[in-house]
């Protein structure tokens, strides 16, 4: 079956309306354009993100339903708290964003990953500009887990996570949820539900309420210095 998609105009950063995305494949909206910062910011502000493989044109998506976390409602299990107390893990923010992006790409085979070299360079540029942020989990000075994504107002748009040690990604998410909520963050967008996100407690919501929240919160201002490089700490009962 043929699929007809609008091609993005290279001269501007306009996108089709997200509700015009295809049902199958779920959320496919447009193709073309580039990964320059202005286009990426315009996309995320409208609930759109790039996702494609080597050899494909850039594909843009806005799926429904949407997987999210509400950071102020994230509750770690007793077993996770117990594990963390004994783990020796240290959790940091924006201490190694480039390494996190690279690890997220390297932990998948070339056939599986959508984090192409162009994507790596694009999100590293976004980090250098102050838009892309990372959470890192360290064990004995070795990076063993983390994730990265873009901040849009009081929304954090998660891109990818990796884990090389037990519970590393869960603990990264737990600490970030607490920190982001404390800074005024209201929503974490996870794009598409998968088994790992579901195991962490992600929720699915329809496109309309997701877009309503995004449009309301994308201009919100969180506390200053929320993303300066720092160690994240939580009092553990």
């Amino acid at each position: 079956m043929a699929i007809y998609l609008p091609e993005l105009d290279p001269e501007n950063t306009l996108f089709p309306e997200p509700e015009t995305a295809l049902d199958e494949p779920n959320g496919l909206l447009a193709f073309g354009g580039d990964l320059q910062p202005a286009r990426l910011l315009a996309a995320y502000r409208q609930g759109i993100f790039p996702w494609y493989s080597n050899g494909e044109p850039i594909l843009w998506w806005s799926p429904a339903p949407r997987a999210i976390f509400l950071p102020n409602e994230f509750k770690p299990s007793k077993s996770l708290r117990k594990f963390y107390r004994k783990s020796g893990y240290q959790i940091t923010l924006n201490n190694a964003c480039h390494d996190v992006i690279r690890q997220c790409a390297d932990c998948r085979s070339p056939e599986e990953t959508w984090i192409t070299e162009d994507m790596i360079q694009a999100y590293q540029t976004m980090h250098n500009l102050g838009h892309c942020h990372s959470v890192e989990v360290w064990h004995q000075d070795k990076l063993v887990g983390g994730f990265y994504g873009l901040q849009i107002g009081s929304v954090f748009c998660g891109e990818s996570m990796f884990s090389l040690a037990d519970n590393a990604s869960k603990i990264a998410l737990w600490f970030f949820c607490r920190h982001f909520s404390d800074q005024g963050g209201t929503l974490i967008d996870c794009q598409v539900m998968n088994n790992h996100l579901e195991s962490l407690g992600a929720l699915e919501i329809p496109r309309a309420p997701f877009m309503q929240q995004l449009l309301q919160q994308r201009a919100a201002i969180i506390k200053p210095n929320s993303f300066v490089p720092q160690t994240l700490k939580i009092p553990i009962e």
Side-chain angles (χ1 to χ4, degrees):
M1 182 178 66
I3 294 176
Y4 298 96
L5 283 179
E7 182 176 5
L8 299 185
D9 187 337
E11 301 302 320
N12 62 56
T13 59
L14 298 177
F15 284 88
E17 292 296 325
E19 58 265 24
T20 66
L22 298 177
D23 294 328
E24 184 59 43
N26 178 21
L28 184 55
L29 179 69
F31 75 98
D34 53 43
L35 298 175
Q36 293 300 310
R39 192 180 301 275
L40 284 172
L41 286 174
Y44 281 89
R45 287 176 57 82
Q46 298 171 76
I48 301 164
F49 57 89
W51 187 24
Y52 66 103
S53 300
N54 277 317
E56 294 180 343
I58 301 173
L59 302 176
W60 300 89
W61 303 75
S62 184
R66 200 77 168 213
I68 65 164
F69 287 103
L70 300 175
N72 65 333
E73 295 184 7
F74 185 86
K75 297 292 188 293
S77 65
K78 290 182 179 179
S79 61
L80 188 63
R81 291 173 182 269
K82 182 178 179 180
F83 176 89
Y84 170 71
R85 285 196 294 267
K86 297 179 179 180
S87 68
Y89 290 171
Q90 183 182 42
I91 296 83
T92 59
L93 180 69
N94 271 341
N95 277 24
C97 189
H98 297 340
D99 294 334
V100 169
I101 296 171
R102 179 65 65 177
Q103 283 282 7
C104 287
D106 290 348
C107 72
R108 297 170 174 85
S109 71
E111 295 76 23
E112 293 178 318
T113 189
W114 67 96
I115 309 174
T116 65
E117 284 299 319
D118 286 346
M119 290 276 276
I120 291 170
Q121 294 302 318
Y123 287 86
Q124 288 179 343
T125 297
M126 294 294 279
H127 174 68
N128 295 339
L129 293 173
H131 302 297
C132 180
H133 308 290
S134 63
V135 180
E136 305 92 20
V137 180
W138 306 87
H139 185 247
Q140 298 178 350
D141 296 325
K142 179 182 178 182
L143 183 63
V144 297
F147 61 88
Y148 72 96
L150 271 62
Q151 179 216 348
I152 304 293
S154 64
V155 179
F156 187 82
C157 304
E159 270 298 306
S160 185
M161 59 172 42
F162 79 99
S163 185
L164 302 178
D166 289 347
N167 292 319
S169 58
K170 289 183 180 180
I171 290 171
L173 178 64
W174 167 23
F175 274 62
F176 180 72
C177 281
R178 178 68 66 89
H179 173 76
F180 192 47
S181 179
D182 288 346
Q183 304 307 304
T186 55
L187 183 69
I188 298 175
D189 171 28
C190 308
Q191 300 175 350
V192 179
M193 183 68 82
N194 58 39
N195 291 337
H196 184 59
L197 292 174
E198 189 173 16
S199 74
L200 295 175
L203 308 171
E204 280 191 320
I205 62 173
R207 178 185 283 118
F210 169 78
M211 290 301 302
Q212 183 179 19
Q213 291 187 57
L214 176 62
L215 295 178
Q216 290 174 345
Q217 297 164 11
R218 67 186 183 183
I221 298 174
I222 63 174
K223 292 180 181 179
N225 300 321
S226 296
F227 286 98
V228 296
Q230 59 192 279
T231 298
L232 301 181
K233 296 183 180 294
I234 292 177
I236 308 297
E237 298 82 0

